[in-house]
């Protein structure tokens, strides 16, 4: 009797044991109707899809409104609206409000506020979504994703790190001090950190991962469109140059680092400057000259906001339709400015019309010095899709870092370090491509100014100019900017954008940009 | 009392009978002078008792039992003593007189509660040994008043069970909660704000069922919305048991966090097949409707209102340009239509129930056929139910037992144009001007046609099968398994005719299915050591596999009214469609073990533990844990008390239990990834930035302490149960809104807690138990206090839930340290009697103002809380409590010979109601030029002339409605005490004499008259203080609770 009972008890205990162990499999239900964090990140495709989502999140911010021009080109006042354009008083004069650095007017003036909704630039939520996205992806990659080799894992971590650092860099240029974090699922409120520290952290972060990236991609569909070591180097050079301007004590170190990074980039031979005859390939995107860009194409069915590309404001018929609306360009660079950066006596193919593979004007006029509604920034007038009479912009990429940009940054760093000879060589690399008279002037300040002007020439319309003015402090000198900031305004960060007040919600540690909160002048 | 509706579990009865049979000593005693005695055993109301055991001899031996008609025939020694026993009745001893051969035995019902059995962890246990807090109701208490939803009949019968019949919509449920508030989640806006329902777990014949299933979308539900509780026929219910404390519910796991309601249906119990038929015919009447001024009275009042209050000539001239007011001879405007009559009606309905059962303890069966039909008091609404329940039980020997049952039901519902609980279309059109011509298909507003002609057909089809088998390996050790499959199919088809939808017909179709496979395997072991030590062990595991898929299609414009389907797809007019968000693929596995030990039934210790794992809560921490401990001291077994005859029983109970429930979903923990964004020719999949994943989400933990005291006195004269509890719900999920630095919007966090504590008391008196006249009186009540004890830090102890409905703005505030749900309103302090009473800002010299207009005499006095002489959005204050503090009921049951009278009452006290119905009624006066009805306001204490001290502001000055908004909903003027005492039901029944019944070939005939929702005693000025939402809002669009009068017949063949 006792034995039987014992057997029964053992039998039953075994049953329960079997049941318990089978349980975790039984409970693991893969939801069919949704993807959750525990059934995503299962293989390389998931990582790729997630990266695509992160890139597109950033792109949304650029695509929200006329971002590149507003943040990088107009704020020192060299761009004016053409009075002949029928939208002069609406869309046109917004650039002039930006040119006065009157951001509150640029954002809120009833004549254009709903057309441009520039307040989107002041809201950083989207950028922080990119940062959360990269932080989560990095955490998942560090935990380990099945079916991924070590090299792939490291490469993806590095690529995500690039996006994260790039986003911080972009935000610093827009808002100055920003909150900084790298942990996934950050939910506690954070205050803003000094921008120099944020950039220094990003430099460290990027340097530690940089070498896991390939110099460039052999797959032509990824070239330039996705973060590579070339992109990371360009970003590091930019971040060093930014801090060199704001962190006087360490400027030499930053210049040295920039110069070394530039050297490595050139030595890699992964990139080259294309002849201007092939300029349309560069603006189309994914060229050998592209270090990083946000690539979009009509062929991919991408929905690019009409007002987002800078070309939208500087093109006219026949590069923009319908003709009756686009007899003239909406805005133009003033003759005074163009004369300053492109001296009339210097030979330079970039000054030519589009038919001569130049960047300004066409057979109908609107050349480099036209300074009126005829003005045509032919640099972005390539790759026009056949859209009938529809108002569509040329099918160009959003260039962020270009090889010549990096070369000129290196030139600038070398010049600052007193290595004038090497600096001149760098400048002339860019000038030679443009078939322009090589620089042969003296070193020192003259060379530095020349390099600055070369950046203005080479990168016109690419959203670098205003930030160059800020980081070099040239914005305070009327020689370089039509609308200057005085020292006090500069110190109070008049060059930033206001921060949307929603940042204060649920965040006791948050402060806004004081300059814009105290009437903005 | 109808003896077929026995109070106690039949199963237990069989067990006892079996045991008694086994106790028969095989060696008979020598027969001496023997006589054959025959007779009948009945209960106090002369209903026969089949299956009663007859014992005789010394020691007592079972010699026979009564047959189906309660008759017996035994052969015993002359002048032997016969003992009659039957569960639930007091043992009766009869000594035969010499030569006596016939005998009529009348047994008295035993009201000693300790003999009762209760169900714990799917096993029946003696109530005397249970340590948890529970309350039982016998099935016969929920008969005689036909209802779609039996919950309605539990109202006021169970201490601590708060049932509010807050809607009269046929087939819908009211709100049910045990021991206070367990949720902070509110859905909806304005009058349609609802508290997330936290219904108890229902367990029907050992199979758990989720009563909230149909309402999980909150009140704006899609699909038929037929509650699973509405599918249970009341006639088939044997008993209902309500488990309240954590000890009682612990074995039911995390689903039982809000209590458990166990329903046991009837079993077969008759050797000869028995057929019982119940029929009810009932009339439903709408409650008293709003008084309206009709025809010319309306026109005259409107004109008078304009003439007396117009500020400009323009407004007076506008009368002539409003033909509706000025052209009284125009036939179109010359009517006196009673719009409410168009929508409301009195209905006549029927229910039929046929129950067939038969068999003996070895093999028995039953079948129950039910038809219930209820036409709603609002036209074009109603609920019909058809169902069939079958059950069979086979127990060839003591060791083996198998039970099989099938339940099939169809619930058909017609919601009309509304969404069931709300009939806003009806409420809105019911307020139309009486001057307009009455409805006809072609000549009326679209709203009227929509309400009356919308063809809405919902049906819920439910089939549930259950097989249970058990086997006893060795004495005391029993293994059992239960397998059940439940399939639900819900469809809804709505066709809106062209006249009701801007000249284009519209089609909506919903299709859903739910299924659940459930298995439970259990092992129980009972053992007695040394006679005094009893041990009982119960272990089981439970497995659920559930799935659900709902889909719908909507076609906005269809060809004509004649063609209602099938319809193809139209790219332009198709709306919505596809699979709903609530797709479900769910599994859970649970393990539970309980051990109960008692010493001489005097001291009882209960220990139990249960683990629940679900597929929804992630792999890292899938288990919810439910430990519980219970102690009981039956002090009536103590030696020093045994000598007191007046003490029937007495016990103290003490229990503690926890329910640790990971109520998070995979999405909460890991985040959701959606297809979003394209870049560089690829499709992106990224995290959803609404909800930030929270991997550290803690399980919600409910800890409950219960102390109970039960006593029975003077041989059943009085019984008392008292319980006091402290229930703390910690780590409740609450949404925290994040800083935009995090990129996400919301964090689901654990930072909210509430505490409920209270007392429950049930008292039953049986002053007269024997004889022709019997009387029972019972009373129960519960006090519940809820206190909010924690909120996320950033709220600093107060969180306001802003009401987004601009017409109401009735905000809710959560403040730590006070009752959980309070209103956040403007404080009304009366009406300015004269212009001089309006305060003036000493700084600016301007009187108190709002919306750019100064207050005047006749305007309400809103407290200026920040003292800036401007009434704005900063002048709100915390006030009131929408949850009731006291609930309970009173019952009296009187029997005289064959007559019986049962009266049930329930009450709710200390609760704040917002009388939005009155606010809406007064707002009808805002536009005398409009086509709304007007209502007489003479009954209200309203300011009429300077100097009046009144409660209500002046309603006739229509020019003040826009700026001053004297009748704005967000003020305490509408806050009223919602206490009430409701006469739930009165039933008078008569049982015809058995001989009379036999004459017409029947076994018994019983008729009853009953009335439900007869009257509500309340100081509340609105129509019904119960007919409000769970947030205490009296929405004028709500479905009124009808009054019901019924004639019923029960016959048995």
């Amino acid at each position: 009797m006792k034995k039987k009972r014992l057997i029964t008890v053992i039998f039953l205990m075994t049953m329960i044991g079997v049941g318990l162990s089978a349980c975790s499999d039984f409970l693991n239900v893969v939801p069919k109707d949704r993807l959750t964090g525990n059934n995503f990140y299962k293989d390389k495709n998931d990582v790729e899809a997630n990266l695509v989502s992160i890139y597109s999140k950033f792109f949304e911010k650029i695509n929200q409104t006329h971002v590149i021009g507003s943040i990088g080109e107009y704020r020192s006042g060299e761009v004016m609206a053409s009075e002949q354009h029928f939208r002069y008083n609406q869309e046109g004069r917004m650039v002039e409000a930006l040119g006065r650095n009157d951001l509150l007017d640029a954002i809120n003036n009833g004549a254009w506020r709903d057309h441009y909704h520039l307040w989107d630039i002041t809201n950083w939520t989207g950028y922080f979504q990119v940062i959360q996205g990269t932080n989560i992806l990095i955490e998942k990659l560090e935990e380990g994703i099945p079916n991924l080799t070590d090299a792939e894992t490291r490469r993806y971590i590095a690529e995500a790190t690039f996006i994260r650092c790039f986003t911080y860099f972009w935000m610093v240029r827009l808002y100055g001090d920003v909150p900084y974090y790298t942990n996934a699922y950050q939910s506690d409120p954070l205050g803003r950190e000094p921008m120099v520290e944020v950039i220094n952290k990003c430099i460290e972060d990027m340097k530690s991962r940089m070498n896991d990236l390939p110099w460039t991609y052999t797959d032509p569909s990824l070239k330039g469109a996705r973060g590579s070591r070339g992109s990371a180097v360009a970003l590091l050079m930019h971040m060093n140059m930014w801090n060199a301007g704001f962190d006087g004590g360490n400027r030499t170190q930053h210049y040295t680092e920039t110069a070394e990074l530039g050297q490595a980039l050139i030595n890699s031979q992964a990139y080259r400057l294309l002849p201007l005859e092939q300029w349309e390939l560069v603006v189309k995107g994914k060229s050998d000259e592209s270090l990083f860009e946000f690539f979009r194409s009509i062929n991919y069915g991408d929905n690019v906001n009409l007002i987002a590309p800078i070309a939208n404001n500087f093109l006219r018929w026949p590069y923009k339709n319908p003709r009756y609306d686009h007899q003239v360009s909406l805005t133009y660079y003033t003759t005074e400015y163009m004369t300053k950066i492109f001296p009339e006596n210097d030979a330079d193919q970039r000054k030519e019309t589009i038919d001569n593979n130049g960047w300004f004007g066409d057979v109908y006029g609107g050349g480099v010095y036209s300074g009126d509604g005829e003005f045509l920034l032919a640099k972005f007038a390539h790759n026009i899709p056949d859209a009938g009479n529809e108002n569509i912009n040329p099918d160009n990429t959003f260039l962020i870092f270009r090889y010549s940009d990096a070369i000129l940054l290196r030139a600038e760093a070398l010049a600052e370090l007193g290595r004038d000879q090497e600096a001149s060589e760098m400048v002339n690399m860019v000038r030679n491509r443009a078939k322009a008279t090589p620089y042969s002037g003296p070193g020192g300040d003259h060379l530095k100014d020349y390099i600055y002007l070369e950046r203005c020439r080479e990168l016109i319309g690419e959203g670098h100019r205003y930030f160059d003015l800020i980081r070099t402090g040239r914005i305070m000198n009327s020689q370089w900017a039509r609308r200057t900031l005085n020292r006090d305004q500069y110190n109070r960060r008049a060059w930033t954008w206001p921060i949307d007040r929603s940042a204060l919600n649920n965040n006791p540690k948050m402060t806004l940009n004081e300059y814009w909160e105290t009437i903005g002048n | 009392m109808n003896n077929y509706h026995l109070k106690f579990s039949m199963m237990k009865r069989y067990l006892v009978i079996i045991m008694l049979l086994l106790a028969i000593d095989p060696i008979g005693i020598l027969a001496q002078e023997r006589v054959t005695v025959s007779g009948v055993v009945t209960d106090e109301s002369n209903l026969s008792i089949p299956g009663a055991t007859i014992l005789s001899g010394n020691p007592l031996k079972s010699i026979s039992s009564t047959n189906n008609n309660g008759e017996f025939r035994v052969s015993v020694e002359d002048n032997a003593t016969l003992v009659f026993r039957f569960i639930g009745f007091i043992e009766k001893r009869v000594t035969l007189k010499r030569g006596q051969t016939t005998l009529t035995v009348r047994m008295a019902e035993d009201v000693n509660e300790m003999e009762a059995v209760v169900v714990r962890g799917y096993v029946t246990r003696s109530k005397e040994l249970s340590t948890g807090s529970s309350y039982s109701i016998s099935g016969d208490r929920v008969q005689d008043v036909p209802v779609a939803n039996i919950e309605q009949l539990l109202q006021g019968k169970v201490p601590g069970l708060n049932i509010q019949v807050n809607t009269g919509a046929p087939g819908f449920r009211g709100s049910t909660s045990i021991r206070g508030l367990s949720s902070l989640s509110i859905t909806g806006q304005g009058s349609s704000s609802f508290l997330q329902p936290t219904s108890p777990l229902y367990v029907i014949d050992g199979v758990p069922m989720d009563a909230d299933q149909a309402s999980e979308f909150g009140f704006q539900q899609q699909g038929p919305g037929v509650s699973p509780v509405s599918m249970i026929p009341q006639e088939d219910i044997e008993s209902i048991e309500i488990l309240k404390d954590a000890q009682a519910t612990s074995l039911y796991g995390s689903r039982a966090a809000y209590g458990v309601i166990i329903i046991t249906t009837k079993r077969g119990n008759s050797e000869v097949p028995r057929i019982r038929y119940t029929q009810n015919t009932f009339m439903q009447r709408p409650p008293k409707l709003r008084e309206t001024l009709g025809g010319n009275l309306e026109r005259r009042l409107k004109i008078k209102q304009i003439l007396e209050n117009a500020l400009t000539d323009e407004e007076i001239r506008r009368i002539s340009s409003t033909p509706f007011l000025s052209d009284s001879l125009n036939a179109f405007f010359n009517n006196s239509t009673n719009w409410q009559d168009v929508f409301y009606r009195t209905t006549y309905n029927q229910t039929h129930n046929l129950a067939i059962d038969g068999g003996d303890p070895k093999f028995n069966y039953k079948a129950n056929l039910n038809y219930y039909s209820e036409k709603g008091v609002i036209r074009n609404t109603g609920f019909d139910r058809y169902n069939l329940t079958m059950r069979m039980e086979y127990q060839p020997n003591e060791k083996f037992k198998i039970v099989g049952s099938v339940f099939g039901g169809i619930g058909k519902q017609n919601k009309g144009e509304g969404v069931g609980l709300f009939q806003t279309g009806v409420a809105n059109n019911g307020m139309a001007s009486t001057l307009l011509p009455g409805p006809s298909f072609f000549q009326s507003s679209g709203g009227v046609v929509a309400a009356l002609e919308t063809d809405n057909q919902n049906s819920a089809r439910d089939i549930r099968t259950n097989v249970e088998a058990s086997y006893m390996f060795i004495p005391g050790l029993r293994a059992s398994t239960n397998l059940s499959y439940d399939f639900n199919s819900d469809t809804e088809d709505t066709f809106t005719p062209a006249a009701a939808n801007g000249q284009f017909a519209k089609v909506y179709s919903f299709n859903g299915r739910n299924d659940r496979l459930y298995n439970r395997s259990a092992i129980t072991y009972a053992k007695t050591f040394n006679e005094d030590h009893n041990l009982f062990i119960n272990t089981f595991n439970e497995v659920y596999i559930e799935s659900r898929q709902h889909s719908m299609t909507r076609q906005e414009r269809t060809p004509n009214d004649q063609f209602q389907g099938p319809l193809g797809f139209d790219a332009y007019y198709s709306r919505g469609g596809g699979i709903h968000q609530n797709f479900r693929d769910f599994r859970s596995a649970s393990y539970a073990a309980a051990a109960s030990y008692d010493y001489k039934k005097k001291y009882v210790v209960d220990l139990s533990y249960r683990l629940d794992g679900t597929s929804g809560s992630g792999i890292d921490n899938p288990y919810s844990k439910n430990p519980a401990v219970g102690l009981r001291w039956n002090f009536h077994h103590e030696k020093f008390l045994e000598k007191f005859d007046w003490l029937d029983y007495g016990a103290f109970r003490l229990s503690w239990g926890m329910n640790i429930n990971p109520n998070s979903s995979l999405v909460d923990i890991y985040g959701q990834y959606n297809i979003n964004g394209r870049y560089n020719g690829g499709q992106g999949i990224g995290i959803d930035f609404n909800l930030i994943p929270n991997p550290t989400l803690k399980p919600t933990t409910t800890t409950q302490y219960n102390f109970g005291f039960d006593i029975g006195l003077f041989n059943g004269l009085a019984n008392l149960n008292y319980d006091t509890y402290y229930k703390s719900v910690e780590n409740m999920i609450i949404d925290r809104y994040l800083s935009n630095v995090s990129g996400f919007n919301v964090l689901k966090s654990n930072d909210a807690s509430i505490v409920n504590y209270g007392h429950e008391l049930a008292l039953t008196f049986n002053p007269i138990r024997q004889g022709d006249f019997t009387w029972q009186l019972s009373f129960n009540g519960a006090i519940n206090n809820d206190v909010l004890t924690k909120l996320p830090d950033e709220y600093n102890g107060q969180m306001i839930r802003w009401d987004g409905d601009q017409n109401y703005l009735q905000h809710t505030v959560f403040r730590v340290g006070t009752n959980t749900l309070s209103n956040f309103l403007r404080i009304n302090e009366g009406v300015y009697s004269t212009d001089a009473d309006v305060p003036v800002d000493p700084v600016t010299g301007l009187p108190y103002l709002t919306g750019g207009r100064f207050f005047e005499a006749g305007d309400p006095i809103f407290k200026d809380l920040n003292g800036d002489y401007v009434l704005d959005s900063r002048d709100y204050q915390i006030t009131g409590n929408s949850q009731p503090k006291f609930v309970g009921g009173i019952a009296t049951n009187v029997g005289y010979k064959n007559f019986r009278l049962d009266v049930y009452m329930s009450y709710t006290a200390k609760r704040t109601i917002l009388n939005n119905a009155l606010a809406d009624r007064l707002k009808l006066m805002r536009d005398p030029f409009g086509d709304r009805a007007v209502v007489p306001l003479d009954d209200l204490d309203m300011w009429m002339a300077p100097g009046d001290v009144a409660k209500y502001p002046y309603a006739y000055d229509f020019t003040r409605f826009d700026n001053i908004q004297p009748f704005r909903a967000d003020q305490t003027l509408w806050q009223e005490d919602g206490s009430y005492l409701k006469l739930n039901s009165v039933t008078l029944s008569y049982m015809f004499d058995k001989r009379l019944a036999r004459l017409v070939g029947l076994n018994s005939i019983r008729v009853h008259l009953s009335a439900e929702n007869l009257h509500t005693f309340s100081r509340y000025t609105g129509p019904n203080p119960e007919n409000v939402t769970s947030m205490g809002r009296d929405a004028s669009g709500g479905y009124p609770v009808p009054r019901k009068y019924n004639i019923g017949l029960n016959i048995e063949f």
Side-chain angles (χ1 to χ4, degrees), chain A residues 182-326:
Chain A
T182 55
N183 53 314
Y185 313 119
Q186 171 72 36
S187 60
D188 291 334
L190 290 173
R192 296 163 70 189
E193 283 188 42
M195 64 176 180
V196 172
E197 282 174 36
V198 171
I199 293 291
N200 278 335
K201 285 178 185 174
C202 286
I203 290 172
E204 281 314 301
D205 193 22
M206 191 68 258
K207 274 204 293 197
S208 70
R209 296 290 183 184
M210 179 177 80
N211 293 332
D212 294 333
L213 282 167
W215 274 109
T216 183
Y217 292 97
T218 45
D219 180 346
S221 74
L222 303 181
K223 196 184 284 177
R226 294 272 295 268
S228 60
R229 201 188 304 180
S231 321
V233 165
L235 172 65
L236 279 167
M237 291 169 79
H238 266 286
M239 291 195 294
N240 274 303
M241 291 308 281
W242 185 265
N243 265 10
F246 289 96
D247 184 16
N250 296 314
R251 64 166 53 178
T252 313
Q253 181 208 327
H254 287 304
Y255 288 136
T256 313
E257 205 164 301
T258 309
E260 283 167 7
L261 286 161
Q263 184 67 56
L265 182 68
I266 293 163
N267 289 350
S268 76
Q269 303 205 330
Y271 299 92
R272 66 186 176 98
L273 295 174
L274 271 64
L276 281 190
E277 288 74 28
Q278 291 179 26
W279 177 250
E280 79 244 34
L281 299 180
V282 178
V283 284
K284 177 76 188 91
K286 298 181 176 174
S287 70
D288 285 349
E289 197 172 325
S290 171
L291 294 174
F292 186 61
E293 68 194 43
F294 280 102
F295 186 80
R296 287 270 155 150
S297 165
I298 284 176
N299 296 329
Y300 289 158
D302 295 333
N303 187 18
V304 178
N305 189 346
L306 184 70
I307 61 170
I310 193 157
N312 184 56
N313 287 13
F314 292 97
L315 297 185
R316 55 169 165 77
W317 187 84
Y319 309 96
K320 232 173 140 49
N321 283 318
R323 184 174 180 176
Y324 48 83
D325 276 356
H326 296 96

Side-chain angles (χ1 to χ4, degrees), chain B residues 89-108:
Chain B
F89 289 82
I90 295 169
E91 181 184 288
K92 185 112 179 173
R93 280 170 179 270
V94 181
T95 305
L96 293 174
K97 299 190 186 87
R98 191 162 288 279
Q100 185 180 5
T101 55
T102 58
L103 181 64
T104 301
V105 182
R106 198 182 240 207
M107 292 176 74

